[in-house]
Each structure stands twice: as structure tokens, then as C-alpha cells.
């Protein structure tokens, strides 16, 4: 028998960590639905050629799928490395039954073949929202997306955050106005700014064919960061002109202006944001946790115009993805979060003796019918052992069945009171396991 060992990049959470994850997912799902997004789920695999079409580095990220009995055959399918590509395919396949503009959210696993490290995994959970329409997508949707994210992150127990926004038209128009030929390559290099620093980025730009003056102008653009419309004047001061640049400035201004009214202080214009994926064509987003900027983006996305197209009709969209596993992995690594208990149970119903277990089970059934999570003691041990069992699991209350009237004990305070299963409820704070900040 082979030795059991963990596989790096495939996180498995403890029960307490899993409770924390579920609370985060509850917040995400409930907030997405508050904003009118409906849920879908797509298959785990896509044709390899479709996944490969999303960028020059896609091959490095795709896990191929084939039967062991047919391992020598050409790999036709791969696990999806994000949720946007399968969503675009879903829209094309189901366009005849969807109501547009279509607002969807999707919370699923994805797989990416990269080197595992802190906050980066080979298997991870993402939570996405997108809005797609037929032929044309109104620009106000690009301004709506960061408002949804701000609403979600404000409910997370993670401290302050900032949503950085740029526009690919602004960047593309600026590079074109400078006379740079390889605009896509320039974007990919600028996207490495936080990882390798401005000097290394300058060198890569020059190696890629830019002059020293062009490289310096690109870096000056990337330095612009404002919480308001002041970015417009700063971009104009660089002296570059191009029609696409004008479009990008106007589009970004609309996003920043709407955010300033609806999520003040949470959205900034940050012109270094590029996003490396080739399918983005308009607004792009990256969210960071204040004080943990070294983590990089924990939520990102943007507008795409040609990702979903059948050759006759195009379905432009805009969306964003929350890196759930990334956020939780980083917080767990810092030991910042745990759950108030390692089980959903708020009550342990004690068992007097095995002959009396049906009575304890009936009490538990009555409590569950009223929405109180509970479990029956696994053994009819002495009550002291049953209390210690509850204490080890973090269960706050133990219910004692008695012929002359049941009693419940708060094992933290020692208080014990008469109760009726048809009426008693634990305090609201004890009903569900909660997230505890350290």
C-alpha cells in the first residue's frame, strides 16, 4: 500500500477552518443575490483548444484530462483554470434560453498548474459575477461591478480594502500614442510592475523594442493613482494624444465618479493595473487588503468584448472574481481567523443510559425542528464525561433529560436552568458557529 502524503497545492481545511470558509461563502452568495445575480454551475472541463486560446501562458496552467486506459491518446479536455472561460461557453450554448442582460454568479473550484506557494494553489475556490448582453454592453455595468465587490468585502472580517481600477483602452491608447508597436506585450510587462519593480520593467520594455523615453513614459503613467478624477489631469500632463486614450479616460472617469458616491474611499484609479489575460478590452479591476499589499490581488477581473462569440453574434461582458481560497489561505497562514467552535452543534443532548437514548433523540428532533443545531451524546457515559466531550468540541450547552423536568447547562458559566424543548432557544450569538478574529 502506498504511503499517505499530502499533495502540495490542494488545500484541505480543518472542521473549524471549513466553518470559516462556509461563512465567507454565505456572505458572498447572499450579497451577490442582493444585487440581482442568479447562480449557475458549469462543468469542470473544457476543450483544450478553447482554454489554450486565452493567452500565451495558458499551456503552463492547464491540467489535461484523459482516461488512464487511453493515456497515449491526444488530450482533448482540460480542467478550467478560471470561471470566465466556461461561462462564456455557457452563454453561447444557452443564449436562446437566457434573458439579457444576463447577471450570473458562480462559486466553484478551478485548477491551475502553477508552483504552489502562500496564497496560490493548484486547486482553489473562486466566486465570480458577470453581466453579459447581446451585441453591446452598457458602460454603467462596468461601474456597478466594483460596488458589488465593495459590498461583499465590507462584510468580511478582514479589515480595510481598496479596489484599484484602470481601463485597457486608456492604456492601449496611451501606448499607441507613444508609437509603441507591441501593445499587448507592453501590457504584460507593465502587469509585472509589483512583482519585479520599475527598474526591471523599464529594462524589459526596452528589450521589447521601446525606446528609453517610451519606457519612461509608460512608467510615469503607471505611477498615477488617485481616489477621484484627478487622474485625468495627470494623464493629460504626460502630453500623449490618441482617440482610444480619450475613450479610456472617459470610461474610467464614469467608474470612479459613481464609486465615489456609492462606495466612498473604496475605489481608486490606479493606472498600473493591466491584467495579463488577453481577453480584457475595457475596465480592469484588482482588489487588495490594506496593510497586506504584498499579497497582491485577492479579487480581480474586467470587461471583455469578444470572449463569447459564435461568429455571428457577440456577447460582451464584464465580471470579477473573488479568490476565496487565496484570501482564506493567507488569513489562516497568519492565524488571523478561526471558528468559535469546530462543530455546527449548539447543544449536546446527554444520554442517561442506552435504554433512554430514544428520549434524547426525540429532544434533539424537537430542537432541530425549531432550527437549533444539536447532536446526541455518542455514549451514555457519566455526565462529567459527556460535558467534557461537549467542551472539547466547543459545544456551549448540554441538555440533561430528567423525569421531573429537563435542564440545560451553559458549560462556560456553569449556569443550569429548567427548559422545555418546545420553547427554549440558545442566545443568537451561540446558535451558529461564528468567525473569531485573533
Amino acid at each position: 500500500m502506498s504511503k499517505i502524503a499530502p499533495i502540495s497545492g490542494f488545500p484541505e481545511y480543518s472542521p473549524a477552518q471549513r466553518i470559516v470558509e462556509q461563512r465567507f461563502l454565505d456572505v458572498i452568495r447572499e450579497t451577490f443575490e442582493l444585487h440581482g445575480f442568479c447562480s449557475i454551475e458549469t462543468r469542470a472541463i473544457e476543450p483544450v483548444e478553447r482554454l489554450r486560446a486565452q493567452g500565451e501562458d495558458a499551456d503552463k496552467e492547464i491540467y489535461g484530462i484523459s482516461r488512464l486506459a487511453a493515456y497515449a491518446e491526444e488530450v482533448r479536455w482540460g480542467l478550467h483554470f478560471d470561471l470566465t472561460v466556461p461561462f462564456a461557453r455557457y452563454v453561447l450554448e444557452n443564449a436562446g434560453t437566457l434573458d439579457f442582460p444576463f447577471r450570473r454568479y458562480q462559486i466553484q473550484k478551478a485548477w491551475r498548474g502553477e508552483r504552489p506557494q502562500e496564497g496560490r494553489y493548484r486547486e482553489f475556490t473562486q466566486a465570480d459575477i458577470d453581466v453579459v448582453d447581446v451585441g453591446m454592453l452598457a458602460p454603467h455595468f462596468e461601474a456597478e461591478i466594483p460596488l458589488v465587490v465593495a459590498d461583499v468585502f465590507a462584510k468580511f472580517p478582514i479589515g480595510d480594502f481598496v479596489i484599484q481600477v484602470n481601463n485597457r483602452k486608456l492604456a492601449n491608447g496611451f501606448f499607441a500614442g507613444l508609437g509603441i508597436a507591441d501593445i499587448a506585450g507592453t501590457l504584460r510587462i507593465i502587469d509585472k510592475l509589483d512583482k519585479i519593480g520599475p527598474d526591471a520593467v523599464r529594462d524589459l520594455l526596452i528589450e521589447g523594442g521601446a525606446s528609453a523615453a517610451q519606457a519612461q513614459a509608460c512608467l510615469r503613467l503607471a505611477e498615477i493613482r488617485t481616489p477621484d478624477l484627478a487622474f485625468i489631469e495627470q494623464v493629460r500632463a504626460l502630453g500623449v494624444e490618441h482617440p482610444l486614450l480619450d475613450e479610456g479616460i472617459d470610461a474610467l472617469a464614469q467608474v470612479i465618479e459613481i464609486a465615489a458616491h456609492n462606495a466612498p474611499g473604496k475605489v481608486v484609479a490606479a493606472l498600473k493595473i493591466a491584467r495579463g489575460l488577453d481577453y480584457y478590452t475595457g475596465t480592469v479591476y484588482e482588489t487588495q487588503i490594506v496593510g497586506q499589499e504584498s499579497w497582491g490581488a485577492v479579487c480581480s477581473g474586467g470587461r471583455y468584448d469578444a470572449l463569447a462569440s459564435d461568429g455571428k453574434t457577440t456577447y460582451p461582458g464584464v465580471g470579477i472574481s473573488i479568490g476565496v481560497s487565496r484570501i482564506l489561505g493567507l488569513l489562516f497562514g497568519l492565524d488571523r481567523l478561526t471558528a468559535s467552535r469546530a462543530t455546527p452543534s449548539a447543544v449536546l443532548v446527554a444520554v442517561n443510559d442506552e435504554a433512554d437514548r430514544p428520549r434524547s433523540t426525540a429532544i434533539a428532533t424537537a430542537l432541530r425542528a425549531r432550527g437549533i443545531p444539536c447532536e446526541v451524546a455518542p455514549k451514555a457515559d457519566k455526565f462529567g464525561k459527556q460535558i467534557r466531550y461537549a467542551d472539547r468540541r466547543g459545544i456551549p450547552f448540554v441538555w440533561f433529560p430528567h423525569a421531573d423536568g429537563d435542564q440545560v447547562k451553559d458549560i462556560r458559566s456553569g449556569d443550569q436552568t429548567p427548559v422545555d424543548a418546545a420553547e427554549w432557544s440558545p442566545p443568537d450569538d451561540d446558535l451558529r458557529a461564528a468567525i473569531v478574529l485573533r
Side-chain angles (χ1 to χ4, degrees):
M1 184 176 179
S2 61
K3 182 180 178 181
I4 296 176
I7 302 176
S8 63
F10 292 81
E12 295 180 327
Y13 294 147
S14 69
Q17 290 174 330
R18 179 67 171 156
I19 286 173
V20 173
E21 181 190 37
Q22 288 299 303
R23 296 295 177 267
F24 269 67
L25 294 177
D26 288 344
V27 166
I28 293 169
R29 182 181 64 254
E30 291 167 5
T31 307
F32 285 172
E33 291 182 358
L34 278 175
H35 286 262
F37 290 85
C38 58
S39 176
I40 68 165
E41 182 172 283
T42 58
R43 66 196 185 208
I45 64 172
E46 296 293 332
V48 167
E49 64 269 18
R50 181 164 183 82
L51 295 172
R52 280 176 170 164
Q54 307 315 315
E56 62 179 19
D57 293 329
D59 270 3
K60 301 175 184 178
E61 300 184 336
I62 299 169
Y63 280 112
I65 297 294
S66 64
R67 292 181 298 114
L68 285 177
Y71 67 91
E73 297 179 4
E74 181 181 358
V75 176
R76 297 171 54 196
W77 301 303
L79 291 171
H80 58 233
F81 54 80
D82 70 4
L83 301 181
T84 305
V85 173
F87 172 59
R89 187 266 310 158
Y90 178 93
V91 169
L92 292 176
E93 289 188 359
N94 296 280
T97 62
L98 299 177
D99 293 321
F100 293 98
F102 180 49
R103 304 165 67 88
R104 97 50 165 109
Y105 79 86
Q106 193 170 345
I107 303 174
Q108 281 184 239
K109 297 280 190 183
W111 296 265
R112 192 164 294 177
E114 61 182 355
R115 182 175 63 86
Q117 52 187 299
E118 186 180 39
R120 292 193 177 276
Y121 308 103
R122 290 168 171 157
E123 179 182 69
F124 50 92
T125 299
Q126 290 188 183
D128 286 24
I129 52 170
D130 284 82
V131 182
V132 296
D133 210 339
V134 181
M136 180 179 296
L137 182 74
H140 64 78
F141 290 116
E142 294 173 67
E144 180 184 354
I145 293 296
L147 302 183
V148 182
V149 172
D151 200 0
V152 171
F153 274 69
K155 299 172 184 175
F156 283 165
I158 57 175
D160 202 7
F161 62 92
V162 62
I163 304 168
Q164 304 175 103
V165 186
N166 194 10
N167 193 286
R168 290 284 279 262
K169 291 181 179 179
L170 189 159
N172 290 353
F174 187 86
F175 301 150
L178 285 175
I180 293 176
D182 186 6
I183 292 176
T186 301
L187 275 171
R188 283 191 286 270
I189 294 172
I190 295 296
D191 198 36
K192 300 176 181 179
L193 192 57
D194 285 341
K195 295 180 181 179
I196 64 177
D199 292 340
V201 165
R202 181 186 296 105
D203 292 342
L204 286 176
L205 289 171
I206 293 173
E207 289 174 15
S211 67
Q214 288 172 329
Q216 184 60 32
C218 291
L219 289 173
R220 289 182 63 191
L221 180 73
E223 291 171 354
I224 297 174
R225 177 189 174 96
T226 71
D228 50 30
L229 300 182
F231 77 91
I232 300 174
E233 183 178 348
Q234 295 181 31
V235 173
R236 296 301 188 194
L238 298 179
V240 177
E241 295 183 0
H242 194 277
L244 192 58
L245 173 62
D246 297 337
E247 287 185 37
I249 288 175
D250 291 343
L252 182 56
Q254 181 176 354
V255 174
I256 296 299
E257 189 169 25
I258 291 175
H261 288 290
N262 295 277
K266 300 303 182 185
V267 181
V268 302
L271 304 196
K272 67 178 179 180
I273 303 303
R275 303 301 304 149
L277 290 171
D278 292 344
Y279 53 67
Y280 292 126
T281 56
T283 305
V284 287
Y285 319 93
E286 286 192 358
T287 304
Q288 291 185 332
I289 307 301
V290 174
Q292 303 294 344
E293 287 81 3
S294 61
W295 291 358
V298 295
C299 173
S300 56
R303 170 157 182 158
Y304 47 89
D305 283 302
L307 183 61
S309 176
D310 59 9
K312 297 180 181 178
T313 305
T314 298
Y315 302 87
V318 61
I320 201 162
S321 174
I322 299 173
V324 180
S325 297
R326 178 167 174 74
I327 294 171
L328 291 176
L330 292 165
L331 292 171
F332 289 152
L334 293 175
D335 199 24
R336 290 262 301 273
L337 294 178
T338 188
S340 57
R341 55 184 187 256
T343 173
S345 299
V347 181
L348 176 74
V349 182
V351 178
N352 294 316
D353 54 56
E354 287 304 326
D356 199 38
R357 181 174 289 277
R359 181 181 177 187
S360 297
T361 301
I363 292 169
T365 300
L367 292 173
R368 292 172 188 141
R370 296 176 48 240
I372 301 171
C374 60
E375 59 186 273
V376 178
K379 294 182 180 180
D381 289 324
K382 293 180 179 179
F383 283 159
K385 286 188 175 180
Q386 296 188 53
I387 291 172
R388 286 194 290 275
Y389 172 85
D391 188 44
R392 287 196 306 271
R393 292 168 64 80
I395 301 173
F397 296 96
V398 177
W399 188 290
F400 298 107
H402 289 296
D404 56 352
D406 295 353
Q407 294 192 347
V408 71
K409 180 170 186 167
D410 184 334
I411 64 174
R412 299 160 299 185
S413 66
D415 295 340
Q416 189 163 319
T417 56
V419 286
D420 184 329
E423 298 178 357
W424 178 86
S425 294
D428 289 344
D429 289 345
D430 291 324
L431 184 61
R432 307 288 176 190
I435 296 176
V436 177
L437 300 179
R438 290 172 169 166

